């Protein structure tokens, strides 16, 4: 489950990435800067997707555990 600390980390990483992209845009040619910034954005998207998948797997595990507990209690009366 996403915690408050996770949200702080997400926001902190977003701010850091945007600052890094600004520095890149100010120091490299537009063509190279665009490629570097796109790589940063792709990495950020991959991190978010990974977190989404992790949350989904945890949810599936909790649901499976609830169903197994219910079935165990129902059939072991």
């Amino acid at each position: 489950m996403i915690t408050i600390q996770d949200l702080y980390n997400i926001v902190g990483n977003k701010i850091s990435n945007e600052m890094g992209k600004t520095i890149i845009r100010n120091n490299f040619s537009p063509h190279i800067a665009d490629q570097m910034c796109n790589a940063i954005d792709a990495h950020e998207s991959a991190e978010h997707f990974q977190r989404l998948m992790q949350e989904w797997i945890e949810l599936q595990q909790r649901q499976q555990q609830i169903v197994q507990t219910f079935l165990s209690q129902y059939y072991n009366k």
Side-chain angles (χ1 to χ4, degrees), residues 10 14 16-17 19 24 26 29-30 33-34 37 42 48 57-58 62 68 71 74-75 77:
I10 289 168
K14 181 67 173 177
S16 176
N17 287 344
M19 289 173 55
I24 288 169
N26 289 333
S29 68
D34 286 343
C37 291
H48 291 306
I57 289 169
E58 289 174 8
R62 285 194 302 267
Q68 287 176 342
L71 290 175
Y74 182 78
Y75 286 110
K77 287 184 175 183

Side-chain angles (χ1 to χ4, degrees), residues 1-42:
M1 180 182 296
I2 292 179
T3 64
I4 296 295
Q5 186 61 48
D6 293 330
L7 294 175
Y8 284 132
N9 292 341
I10 289 168
V11 170
N13 287 339
K14 181 67 173 177
I15 292 168
S16 176
N17 287 344
E18 293 301 318
M19 289 173 55
K21 291 190 311 187
T22 299
I23 292 169
I24 288 169
R25 287 188 182 104
N26 289 333
N27 291 297
F28 291 94
S29 68
H31 177 69
I32 294 172
D34 286 343
Q35 290 180 349
M36 293 175 75
C37 291
N38 288 342
I40 291 170
D41 290 339

